[in-house]
Amino acid sequence: MDSKVLQAGLNELLETLKDGQKGYTEALTDVEDADLKETFKKYAAQRSAYITELEDQMHKLNLKPEEESSITGTIHRAFINLKSLVTSKDRHSILAECERGEDYAKAAYEKATKIEGVPAELKSLIEKQAAGIKQGHDEIRNLRDAAK
């Protein structure tokens, strides 16, 4: 196991999760549709739990989560436009932006599942979280498609 590669991959997941958590938390405070508020609350809580789980695993492996990741500058912030869209109240646009963030999260997890030599417990956690991310992506996509 290359610990630098693993650490970089896990820090990318953490940044992605933090971005999603922040995006959903901000959106749920501004969106008016009750169903979207509940959906965004659910995914903000999911991301928070995933962050804690990943950080716990990193500590067990003596890897330190970076406060400010070196990749932060190169990451395209997935939820960057969500705040402005929420103020426009356009359900389809809000959900399209959320799905774009979910696409990014899905890709980050796909990349993380390909890291070689990951300890079994951590690999299992990444796969479990990846499945949750995919489910979230699909729910957001379906809501977006229904809003057309």
Side-chain angles (χ1 to χ4, degrees), residues 17 20 29 32 35 52 65 78 89 94 114 118 133-134 138:
L17 291 168
T29 62
E32 292 177 351
D35 65 321
T52 300
K89 311 288 189 230
I94 292 166
K114 293 180 174 126
V118 177
I133 295 291
K134 183 184 180 318
D138 292 351

Side-chain angles (χ1 to χ4, degrees), residues 30 48 51 54 69 144-145:
D30 293 325
S48 178
I51 290 165
L54 271 180
S69 173
R144 182 211 60 203
D145 289 351

Side-chain angles (χ1 to χ4, degrees), residues 30-77:
D30 293 325
V31 77
E32 292 177 351
D33 297 349
D35 65 321
L36 288 186
K37 278 188 182 290
E38 285 306 308
T39 299
F40 294 167
K41 185 187 295 184
K42 173 175 72 173
Y43 289 119
Q46 177 199 58
R47 303 304 153 93
S48 178
Y50 285 4
I51 290 165
T52 300
E53 291 173 347
L54 271 180
E55 287 177 341
D56 288 348
Q57 283 297 308
M58 289 178 79
H59 288 299
K60 286 179 185 177
L61 296 170
N62 207 23
L63 299 172
K64 294 196 187 261
E66 294 178 9
E67 293 303 315
E68 274 303 311
S69 173
S70 59
I71 58 173
T72 301
T74 60
I75 288 181
H76 183 263
R77 302 303 285 182

Side-chain angles (χ1 to χ4, degrees), residues 18 55 65 76 88 97 121:
K18 288 174 184 176
E55 287 177 341
H76 183 263
S88 75
E97 186 67 15
E121 187 177 355

